[in-house]
Amino acid sequence: MRTIFERGAPEAADGVFPACDVPEQGAAACLGADLVRTSPPRIPNTTETTVVRHYTRLSKLNYGVDDGIYPLGSCTMKYNPKVNEDAAALPGFANVHPGADERYAQGSLELLYELTQLLQGIAGLPAVTLQPVAGAHGELTGMFLFRKYFESRGETKRTRILLPDSAHGTNPASAAQAGFSVTEIPSNARGTVDLGALRAELDDTVAGIMLTVPNTLGIFEENILEVTRAVREAGGLCYFDGANLNSFIGRARPGDMGADVFHFNLHKTLSTPHGGGGPGAGAVAVSERLVPFLPVPRVAKRGDRYQLDWDAPQSIGSVHSFFGNVLVAIKAYAYVQQLGDEGLRAVSENAVLNANYLQERLKRTYALPYDRLCKHEFVLSSEGLAEGVTTLDVAKRLIDYGVHPPTVYFPLIVHEAVMIEPTETESRESLDRFAEILERIAAEAREHPELLHEAPTRAPVRRLDQTAAARTPVFKFPFDAE
Amino acid sequence: MRYIPNADADRQAMLRSIGRTSVDELFSDLPESVAKAYRPVGLPPRSELEVVEELTKLSARNEAAERIPLLGGGIYDHYVPRAVHHLASRSEFSTAYTPYQPEISQGTLTVMFEFQTMVCELTQMEIANASMYDGATALAEAVLMAERIRKRGKVAVAANLFSHYRRVVNTYAWAAGIDLVEIPLASSGRCDFGRLPDGVSALVVQSPNAFGVIETLAGLKNRLGDALLIVATYPLALGILEPPGAFGADVVVGEGQCLGLPMGYGGPLLGLFATRKEHLRQLPGRVAGRTVDVDGRLGYTMTAQTREQHIRREKATSNICTNSAHCALSATMYLASIGASGLHRVALLNLEKAHYLAARVEKNKSGTLVFDGPFYNEFVVRPKGGADAARERLEAAGFLVEPPQAMADLGVPDALRLAVTERRTRSELDRVADVLGGKR
Amino acid sequence: MAYPTAFRYTKEHEWVKIDGNRARIGITDHAQAELGDVVFVELPTVGADVKQGGLLGTVESVKAVSDVYAPLSGKVIEANRNLEQSPETVNQSPHDAGWIAVIQLSNPAEAGSLLDAAAYEALIA
């Protein structure tokens, strides 16, 4: 498919903007000649019809949750309700400038405040900030909170963060970006944190631990209370990565498990759309001792008025321009309001049932490194499927069957990993169909492996040369080439 | 249950197939004390209709949406062609995941490639990433990148950055152990580049700056030694302003809300990040690259991923994963919809209308412009009779304007910053000038 | 590919060709096969001092980054600039044209701790 740069017309239609209704002086007169742009950007002029056809055609080369099952482990690609989209698009919400005086933005402020209250309830923690705009951003915020907390106590030796070897890459990256060093704790044979290894690391240089609960294998840390107790007794703090909240929402609260910081991924658990890579929202809940350090401004309620509170002398400062991704928060708010407690409980029940149902069926055909009760996701391996057939081959062949592949090659502690998370919004029929396809592919792997090696053959493009892309990078349209 | 397609009969059958009798058994791995400690939030389920009514009422409590904004400071009231809304809301774009499987993500990836190209064209830089969260964190990450490259422990920052940019940079720099030294201001509203600090990894300048004034970037790069020149800019203004790339900037960042996004009470936003090819390995964030498939067909894929967290972990150039992809998509569609000539047109409208208002204000003697430097579509005025009173009158007349505290925080007391976009009509501007001067 | 008996090897899959008190270093055929197509090599700085076991540079494929460790202590006196233009040389000729650096040894006795070809082949079997 051509890019928009190849669809230009020199004389393009106009008509979006009106004529200038004030006397024109000209750019040079307003700015001085040397500030005026000399060469125009090579953005094509074209017609609305061309633009609409171009992007409509491009959209058909994509695959969204609206197209079918999206079983990506740890991504919680559940159905995105349409009412959420319309709520966020209400002009009263969309057309408000963040600098507007608080008294003219009471609707947004009330919603933000009420959402923080709801998230506090879901987390079982006393305070929430909506300022972080992604999970990793929430992690970074949490790491900043750790830093400020220990700084306030003069405990400057605490420079290490512990995390399990199954941790998502953003965890160590966030810790490092906040100025910590990281120490990996090995997982035991059951796939959970090795308590002995953890205790051996706990000393006065440890700031805390970063855990994903349940972990990235989809397994709940049965020793979670011992883990958090041990860390707290050693003077450290506990960070819980909430990417997998879909597995216990409505049934358990991280605050009751010993979490000091917990981040939500509104674009996972709370159904806001993924958008091809964002925008998300990474609300962060904290325990009492971290409240003074929360980013500013906070959203507060005084009487029946909502306001922005800047009075926090020990705050870490700000991590985003204003109050977070407000329009994304609106979608999450609408979702929680519809579901209520009953609906939230049904989410985790059905998510976990769907995952265990699939795991039970698929373990007959694929290797299951940790054969035990899983939560909302589980990890298979394609090792042993057939000689010379890899997880990559299986993933690409799934595309030929019109299904988005699961997460592959993560977590790193499983070879040829396939991480599957169906979510609660898939029907039994959809799950059965997915399992059938994976079983067929396993059979093909034995009988006709070339079908996997050549896959995909039914996608808009076939396997792309990643090596060439990395060795001779082309990151923008080559206007100057022939 | 809403959005859950399985009925009780399905669930029973599924439980039987896994040898369980109740769903509760599936949660036996939760510690008993934790399960017992659970408290519901206290929310009943509600119908879609009720939720729509509640949210519509809430949105109506935002009187700001009915008023005329003279607010700027990085976020602006620009017009977005309707086609952008329709195209961006196609669910193939909005409900897709990050394009880790490129063969079925050519829609997302092609648009990423187009976006990167457009950012390079606007800024006149060599490479751009697929977006950051917002202009403020893009700027903070530029500071971190410069420090990784030069390792001097110190960065110089202009005193006239947007307050919210400075706040975020302060937080990120504190955590990274980077000292910030300030570049003082001149009476023109621009930086005083007379004596530049040495031993810094970078110099951070914003242009147009927080006062709306355009900085003198010409010749600056040559005076910095090997320190990086980081410029934060207003992307839409680059339709008419000479871009930072033309002045030798090493990194250009900006807030892309002006390119087709609603103001949204401050989020989601769109961080632009562009730099030189030689800094590719230190670039934060995702990039899409062009390549071919096994049949020689052109296609796009995420590349240079070894910089990123999922591979490099604690050694990654940034922890960023989810960014502002869908906003970048809207921005791409916006720019495609208006084209270079539309961009020039709208950029010029902003300039002319702002200058018209400023001229009226001065002619009426409604107030004095605080700074004499050239400005784009925002300027700072000291109103006749005081800023507080002027703001009251403007609000009574249906306008929205920042409190004088905003400018006082930047060292300019008793003043108001006014922003003008292509949406402000001549009669609105005449009214502003009158009200500013004391008329009600 | 045979592992040259004249070379010595490390557990981290580097090879060393010692010549007097200089040593040429690269990664083994096993290492390049594990990595896949090499797309970038981060070379050490000429003039830098390295300790045995210290980080010398990195070799990157599309999906992974592999650290290259110094098998012996010394000063880097040459780095293979050809790899900047042609990183694929590491795949095509890992034991020869795909060399990464030459070190002037500061403690030649350290060579005693390295594996010989037979021991390395046993390790990767």
Side-chain angles (χ1 to χ4, degrees):
Chain A
M1 266 225 38
R2 285 183 285 163
T3 62
I4 194 71
F5 306 105
E6 298 153 284
R7 301 191 193 277
E11 294 299 319
D14 204 351
V16 172
F17 302 108
C20 189
D21 60 356
V22 302
E24 288 182 77
Q25 300 178 64
C30 294
L31 300 168
D34 28 301
L35 291 180
V36 178
R37 186 160 186 141
T38 45
S39 54
R42 287 168 294 191
I43 294 169
N45 293 322
T46 182
T47 63
E48 181 169 322
T49 312
T50 302
V51 170
V52 169
R53 287 196 176 148
H54 176 71
Y55 292 106
T56 299
R57 284 183 199 143
L58 278 181
S59 76
K60 296 180 190 194
L61 304 181
N62 252 20
Y63 180 104
V65 174
D66 279 9
D67 287 289
I69 190 174
Y70 227 119
L72 286 168
S74 269
C75 296
T76 312
M77 291 295 282
K78 65 173 72 181
Y79 174 70
N80 308 137
K82 303 311 175 204
V83 63
N84 300 349
E85 302 304 302
D86 283 3
L90 285 165
F93 287 134
N95 300 338
V96 184
H97 189 288
D101 190 278
E102 290 160 23
R103 64 191 193 282
Y104 301 128
Q106 287 293 296
S108 293
L109 285 167
E110 178 174 343
L111 186 147
L112 292 175
Y113 179 80
E114 292 305 322
L115 181 59
T116 60
Q117 301 303 111
L118 290 174
L119 295 180
Q120 280 160 211
I122 292 171
L125 289 167
V128 161
T129 173
L130 293 172
Q131 208 182 67
V133 295
H137 203 208
E139 293 169 27
L140 187 63
T141 304
M143 291 296 100
F144 287 162
L145 292 171
F146 277 31
R147 284 281 311 266
K148 206 66 174 188
Y149 172 79
F150 289 116
E151 217 178 71
S152 74
R153 295 161 65 90
E155 292 184 53
T156 48
K157 275 175 72 177
R158 295 193 180 270
T159 58
R160 292 198 302 143
I161 293 288
L162 307 178
L163 37 80
D165 52 10
S166 54
H168 189 270
T170 51
N171 289 179
S174 302
Q177 195 160 343
F180 290 110
S181 64
V182 302
T183 303
E184 254 185 24
I185 309 288
S187 301
N188 58 30
R190 284 177 61 70
T192 50
V193 169
D194 186 320
L195 258 181
L198 170 67
R199 288 192 206 280
E201 286 295 342
L202 286 173
D203 61 20
D204 62 0
T205 66
V206 169
I209 193 167
M210 276 182 102
L211 284 172
T212 306
V213 182
N215 66 23
T216 58
L217 295 164
I219 295 170
F220 200 90
E221 294 282 343
E222 60 252 306
N223 292 324
I224 188 67
L225 296 175
E226 281 87 346
V227 170
T228 54
R229 192 176 307 130
V231 173
R232 285 165 148 223
E233 277 167 9
L237 297 168
C238 299
Y239 184 98
F240 281 23
D241 178 327
N244 292 333
L245 177 61
N246 217 49
S247 63
F248 62 85
I249 191 167
R251 283 211 170 227
R253 304 180 304 181
D256 299 326
M257 298 178 209
D260 284 289
V261 186
F262 177 78
H263 88 251
F264 291 83
N265 293 70
L266 300 195
H267 49 296
K268 295 186 180 187
T269 321
L270 299 186
S271 86
T272 76
H274 208 88
V284 167
V286 301
S287 61
E288 196 62 51
R289 51 190 175 164
L290 292 179
V291 171
F293 312 106
L294 283 171
V296 286
R298 295 186 58 193
V299 182
K301 186 176 183 183
R302 306 257 185 286
D304 59 2
R305 303 295 289 168
Y306 299 92
Q307 36 187 240
L308 295 167
D309 191 354
W310 293 89
D311 183 17
Q314 291 187 291
S315 164
I316 57 173
S318 298
V319 296
H320 193 248
S321 294
F322 303 106
F323 327 121
N325 278 353
V326 177
L327 298 184
V328 175
I330 291 171
K331 299 180 192 186
Y333 181 78
Y335 179 72
V336 175
Q337 287 292 334
Q338 270 205 90
L339 263 55
D341 282 304
E342 263 181 64
L344 291 176
R345 193 178 177 85
V347 163
S348 61
E349 277 184 8
N350 284 274
V352 172
L353 176 56
N354 281 0
N356 278 282
Y357 175 73
L358 260 185
Q359 177 182 254
E360 188 64 28
R361 174 157 174 182
L362 288 171
K363 77 183 196 189
R364 304 197 295 244
T365 324
Y366 288 80
L368 179 65
Y370 300 93
D371 190 350
R372 45 176 294 183
L373 176 68
C374 67
K375 296 255 72 69
H376 64 317
E377 66 189 6
F378 59 97
V379 180
L380 298 173
S381 172
S382 64
E383 257 184 348
L385 208 57
E387 184 73 39
V389 168
T390 63
T391 284
L392 190 70
D393 296 324
V394 172
K396 299 309 180 189
R397 186 60 178 158
L398 273 164
I399 292 173
D400 281 337
Y401 282 94
V403 171
H404 194 285
T407 302
V408 293
Y409 297 104
F410 183 80
L412 303 173
I413 56 174
V414 173
H415 283 157
E416 299 294 323
V418 181
M419 179 162 55
I420 293 172
E421 179 185 352
T423 85
E424 75 283 5
T425 60
E426 293 307 314
S427 66
R428 183 178 156 197
E429 190 195 327
S430 168
L431 299 176
D432 285 342
R433 181 162 184 273
F434 177 61
E436 263 165 50
I437 291 171
L438 274 172
E439 286 158 0
R440 274 187 62 180
I441 292 173
E444 286 175 350
R446 287 187 298 275
E447 293 148 32
H448 300 287
E450 69 283 357
L451 287 173
L452 279 70
H453 295 310
E454 306 284 292
T457 53
R458 299 186 204 139
V461 295
R462 297 189 55 207
R463 283 202 210 187
L464 291 162
D465 189 344
Q466 303 288 351
T467 303
R471 281 188 186 153
T472 27
V474 176
F475 299 126
K476 59 183 183 178
F477 185 76
F479 291 104
D480 305 318
E482 267 76 49
Chain B
M1 278 278 111
R2 198 80 166 105
Y3 310 121
I4 288 171
N6 284 338
D8 283 337
D10 296 299
R11 274 190 288 277
Q12 288 312 315
M14 289 163 75
L15 279 168
R16 273 197 305 276
S17 82
I18 60 177
R20 309 276 184 178
T21 46
S22 84
V23 180
D24 284 333
E25 284 177 54
L26 299 177
F27 292 91
S28 58
D29 49 358
L30 285 178
E32 213 185 302
S33 63
V34 173
K36 278 215 180 78
Y38 182 75
R39 294 284 170 275
V41 172
L43 211 56
R46 288 154 79 201
S47 67
E48 180 175 312
L49 176 57
E50 289 166 288
V51 172
V52 166
E53 294 194 328
E54 184 206 333
L55 287 169
T56 308
K57 276 206 201 81
L58 258 183
S59 75
R61 294 187 60 213
N62 279 344
E63 291 173 46
E66 305 303 313
R67 297 171 149 267
I68 300 167
L70 299 171
L71 298 164
I75 305 298
Y76 303 91
D77 179 30
H78 288 300
Y79 178 73
V80 182
R82 295 306 306 171
V84 174
H85 300 285
H86 288 267
L87 290 168
S89 63
R90 289 184 70 86
S91 68
E92 296 93 335
F93 286 129
S94 63
T95 70
Y97 187 63
T98 303
Y100 287 120
Q101 298 290 349
E103 299 86 354
I104 47 169
S105 313
Q106 289 299 293
T108 298
L109 286 161
T110 308
V111 177
M112 276 168 72
F113 185 78
E114 292 182 358
F115 173 74
Q116 288 162 197
T117 305
M118 290 183 181
V119 172
C120 288
E121 285 298 303
L122 278 180
T123 58
Q124 269 182 37
M125 298 296 286
E126 290 172 333
I127 58 175
N129 72 16
S131 78
M132 308 294 281
Y133 307 135
D134 65 351
T137 56
L139 183 57
E141 292 259 14
V143 166
L144 296 182
M145 181 174 113
E147 177 59 24
R148 281 195 299 278
I149 293 169
R150 293 285 179 252
K151 305 182 170 62
R152 305 223 167 99
K154 203 164 66 166
V155 166
V157 291
N160 53 16
L161 302 180
F162 289 137
S163 300
H164 59 278
Y165 280 9
R166 186 58 190 274
R167 257 196 314 278
V168 174
V169 169
N170 283 352
T171 297
Y172 278 62
W174 151 74
I178 300 171
D179 287 328
L180 300 177
V181 299
E182 236 175 49
I183 308 286
L185 304 181
S187 62
S188 60
R190 291 156 136 163
C191 287
D192 177 357
F193 291 132
R195 271 180 43 230
L196 292 169
D198 54 11
V200 295
S201 294
L203 177 72
V204 175
V205 179
Q206 181 186 320
S207 182
N209 62 35
F211 304 132
V213 174
I214 301 155
E215 295 285 347
T216 307
L217 297 177
L220 183 58
K221 172 67 185 162
N222 292 339
R223 299 174 52 215
L224 298 182
D226 69 350
L228 271 63
L229 176 58
I230 298 173
V231 182
T233 190
Y234 182 166
L236 193 74
L238 300 182
I240 200 128
L241 290 181
E242 188 75 317
F247 295 109
D250 294 293
V251 189
V252 180
V253 299
E255 177 49 63
Q257 176 272 332
C258 54
L259 303 174
L261 301 179
M263 297 185 287
Y265 203 46
L269 301 178
L270 172 59
L272 273 54
F273 194 111
T275 186
R276 296 176 185 274
K277 264 192 305 219
E278 74 192 71
H279 298 313
L280 169 62
R281 310 214 76 75
Q282 290 302 332
L283 179 73
R286 295 176 177 151
V287 275
R290 198 172 77 168
T291 185
V292 289
D293 75 356
V294 293
D295 290 337
R297 214 183 277 112
L298 272 182
Y300 302 92
T301 186
M302 291 199 297
T303 187
Q305 293 188 68
T306 48
R307 300 161 302 119
E308 296 188 69
Q309 45 75 30
H310 55 296
I311 293 176
R312 215 57 183 261
R313 299 174 72 87
E314 68 272 14
K315 297 191 187 141
T317 54
S318 167
N319 74 338
I320 192 167
C321 185
T322 294
N323 50 35
S324 221
H326 196 260
C327 298
L329 180 125
S330 294
T332 307
M333 292 168 169
Y334 170 79
L335 288 169
S337 294
I338 64 174
S341 53
L343 178 64
H344 183 266
R345 191 80 203 293
V346 69
L348 187 60
L349 283 171
N350 277 257
L351 181 71
E352 296 282 8
K353 289 183 184 243
H355 283 249
Y356 172 79
L357 177 62
R360 281 297 300 249
V361 163
E362 288 196 306
K363 180 152 166 271
N364 290 4
K365 300 197 183 357
S366 309
T368 47
L369 262 56
V370 175
F371 299 112
D372 57 14
F375 61 94
Y376 177 57
N377 72 346
E378 281 179 290
F379 56 90
V380 183
V381 64
R382 194 157 270 133
K384 186 172 89 172
D388 281 305
R391 184 185 186 226
E392 251 184 68
R393 290 195 300 277
L394 282 167
E395 288 189 339
F399 295 98
L400 289 170
V401 67
E402 275 176 321
Q405 192 59 49
M407 287 298 100
D409 286 344
L410 289 172
V412 185
D414 194 37
L416 300 176
R417 176 175 62 197
L418 303 177
V420 178
T421 70
E422 74 282 4
R423 301 198 70 175
R424 302 289 72 83
T425 64
R426 181 177 182 157
S427 71
E428 282 169 3
L429 298 173
D430 287 342
R431 183 104 177 91
V432 171
D434 287 343
V435 171
L436 209 54
K439 280 215 189 107
R440 286 199 166 269
Chain C
M1 189 181 287
Y3 287 92
T5 48
F7 289 5
R8 290 288 171 268
Y9 301 86
T10 68
K11 291 202 189 81
E12 282 75 36
H13 311 287
E14 289 95 17
W15 57 262
V16 196
K17 184 176 182 207
I18 300 171
D19 190 359
N21 65 351
R22 287 171 161 227
R24 189 176 295 268
I25 293 152
I27 65 169
T28 64
D29 183 50
H30 172 86
Q32 72 77 20
E34 288 272 296
L35 258 178
D37 291 336
V38 174
V39 302
F40 180 77
V41 179
E42 189 181 353
L43 297 167
T45 315
V46 171
D49 287 312
V50 289
K51 275 199 162 48
Q52 185 182 40
L55 193 62
L56 194 60
T58 65
V59 180
E60 284 183 29
S61 67
V62 169
K63 289 282 193 261
V65 181
S66 206
D67 289 328
V68 180
Y69 300 100
L72 302 164
S73 308
K75 188 189 280 296
V76 178
I77 53 175
E78 274 181 67
N80 190 353
R81 294 260 97 88
N82 290 332
L83 298 181
E84 285 171 350
Q85 287 307 110
S86 310
E88 63 275 12
T89 316
V90 174
N91 297 115
Q92 292 158 357
S93 177
H95 297 163
D96 190 357
W99 64 274
I100 293 173
V102 176
I103 292 184
Q104 175 107 317
L105 299 176
S106 59
N107 187 358
E110 285 170 339
S113 66
L114 301 172
L115 304 170
D116 64 14
Y120 182 68
E121 291 191 48
L123 179 73
I124 61 175

